[in-house]
Amino acid sequence: MVFRVAAVVPLILAVTFVCFLLVHLAPGDAWTRLEANPDVSRSTLEAFRTRFGLDRPILVQYGLWLRNVVLRGDFGLSFESALPAFDALFLSGRLAWTVLVAGSTLLVALVLAIPLGVWMAARPHGVVDRVGSVLAFGLLSVPVFLLGLLLLWLLVAVRVGDLGLGVGGLFDNRYLGAPWSWGKVGNLLWHLWPVWAAAGAAEGIGWARQTRGNLQDALGEPYVVTARSKGLTERSVVWRHALRNAANPLVSMAGLSLPRIVSGSLVAAVVFNLPTVERAFWQAVQAQDPYVVLAGLSFFTAFLAVGNLLADLLLVTVDPRIRRGA
């Protein structure tokens, strides 16, 4: 486990190095647009060129950029807005909304998927099992952006605006800037459920299928037969004994699903016009704003690496045999 923790930093460095090369080798005229920006003085341009070594080899540029990130938390300057790259990504509470959207999508998918998978395993070849199998193949083949657009069309088609409910964003106009209240919380949940459905539906049904397969294998083990012979209820056998032993692959799967959840949240942020880091990152990609793109890629890399590390730590907590090397 110590090795896994120590491996996070080299992993992040390697990914940022590759991203730095790709961003700076990509064609674009972002520097030209910055020079044409009337809000940026000539002295600022020269200071920026010197600080990041834009007239020096690309390896030197990466070293200077990494030094500024580590020592000062300076990810560079936005060529579009002349703001620090960190501010261009994280201003206006975008980081908090990003964590809320991605975390809630993951949580909702797990809360719905695991009981569904248990039901499917306990009643194989039943109606729920067959419907779940059809949904699994269907949802796994539908791209996130298409599912999001279909949900938007559905909400507009049923004319939710006639009920005073908005579509897209995180709040209706009447709640923007308003203090928090139960009405505002309810309106936030109304705007989040399409995001949960678009970004987490395929992952959730995949977890349900994985839970079904793992639990069916566990239900055939000798200790389950022994538990049943002792007179334990089927609920106790399934939830207290079999599911605990079937949970290890699910914990690992949750960590591996984080990249897909984040990428799905990015697409959902664009489709539903969410004020998150993913949407600001997408705008920077469209504008070919290199240092903002680098800051976003560094954030996503760290987010995913830490998420997978937490999944490993949770796996050790769930199964102490892993800690002992069993």
Side-chain angles (χ1 to χ4, degrees):
M1 185 53 64
V2 175
F3 173 77
R4 294 181 184 178
V5 174
V8 170
V9 174
L11 174 64
I12 294 176
L13 290 176
V15 173
T16 56
F17 177 70
V18 173
C19 292
F20 189 92
L21 293 179
L22 293 176
V23 168
H24 282 75
L25 291 176
D29 57 351
W31 178 255
T32 302
R33 294 197 302 272
L34 183 64
E35 290 180 314
N37 191 333
D39 297 329
V40 181
S41 64
R42 181 60 54 183
S43 60
T44 300
L45 288 172
E46 291 303 320
F48 187 77
R49 188 191 301 272
T50 301
R51 185 174 63 183
F52 288 97
L54 297 181
D55 54 350
R56 302 174 70 180
I58 193 168
L59 292 179
V60 177
Q61 292 184 42
Y62 174 73
L64 293 173
W65 176 81
L66 185 62
R67 184 193 66 183
N68 289 330
V69 170
V70 174
L71 297 181
R72 305 189 185 96
D74 182 5
F75 286 87
L77 187 72
S78 169
F79 288 179
E80 287 293 308
S81 62
L83 290 172
F86 189 88
D87 293 344
L89 277 177
F90 298 112
L91 280 180
S92 303
R94 292 192 185 105
L95 178 58
W97 290 123
T98 295
V99 174
L100 173 65
V101 171
S104 62
T105 300
L106 181 65
L107 180 62
V108 169
L110 281 173
V111 168
L112 296 178
I114 292 179
L116 177 60
V118 172
W119 182 284
M120 293 164 65
R123 297 167 177 81
H125 309 298
V127 175
V128 175
D129 188 23
R130 295 181 186 277
V131 172
S133 299
V134 173
L135 285 176
F137 289 112
L139 291 175
L140 289 174
S141 62
V142 177
V144 173
F145 78 90
L146 179 58
L147 185 57
L149 291 174
L150 289 174
L151 288 172
L152 281 179
W153 173 83
L154 177 63
L155 291 173
V156 173
V158 300
R159 302 179 66 175
V160 295
D162 295 346
L163 303 175
L165 298 171
V167 177
L170 287 174
F171 298 102
D172 293 345
N173 290 334
R174 66 181 183 274
Y175 287 109
L176 291 175
W180 283 100
S181 63
W182 286 114
K184 187 171 183 177
V185 172
N187 191 251
L188 173 63
L189 295 176
W190 163 256
H191 286 264
L192 280 178
W193 80 260
V195 181
W196 292 339
E203 288 301 316
I205 202 67
W207 286 329
R209 294 290 297 171
Q210 184 72 29
T211 302
R212 176 190 182 278
N214 294 345
L215 189 55
Q216 276 196 321
D217 291 339
L219 288 174
E221 295 293 329
Y223 70 87
V224 173
V225 177
T226 302
R228 285 170 172 160
S229 66
K230 291 182 178 180
L232 296 179
T233 63
E234 188 66 15
R235 180 184 183 88
S236 179
V237 169
V238 172
W239 287 94
R240 294 187 57 187
H241 297 277
L243 184 59
R244 290 183 61 182
N245 287 278
N248 289 5
L250 298 177
V251 175
S252 300
M253 186 179 176
L256 295 174
S257 295
L258 277 173
R260 294 190 292 271
I261 289 290
V262 171
S263 63
S265 298
L266 189 153
V267 176
V270 175
V271 173
F272 293 102
N273 193 29
L274 305 181
T276 59
V277 175
E278 292 96 339
R279 184 163 176 266
F281 173 76
W282 177 248
Q283 292 172 337
V285 171
Q286 290 182 307
Q288 296 179 326
D289 203 347
Y291 286 102
V292 180
V293 173
L294 277 172
L297 291 173
S298 301
F299 165 74
F300 294 135
T301 301
F303 186 79
L304 298 177
V306 171
N308 280 277
L309 178 61
L310 291 177
D312 290 339
L313 295 175
L314 181 60
L315 186 59
V316 171
T317 304
V318 171
D319 191 349
R321 294 175 299 175
I322 298 177
R323 187 189 307 118
R324 297 193 298 266

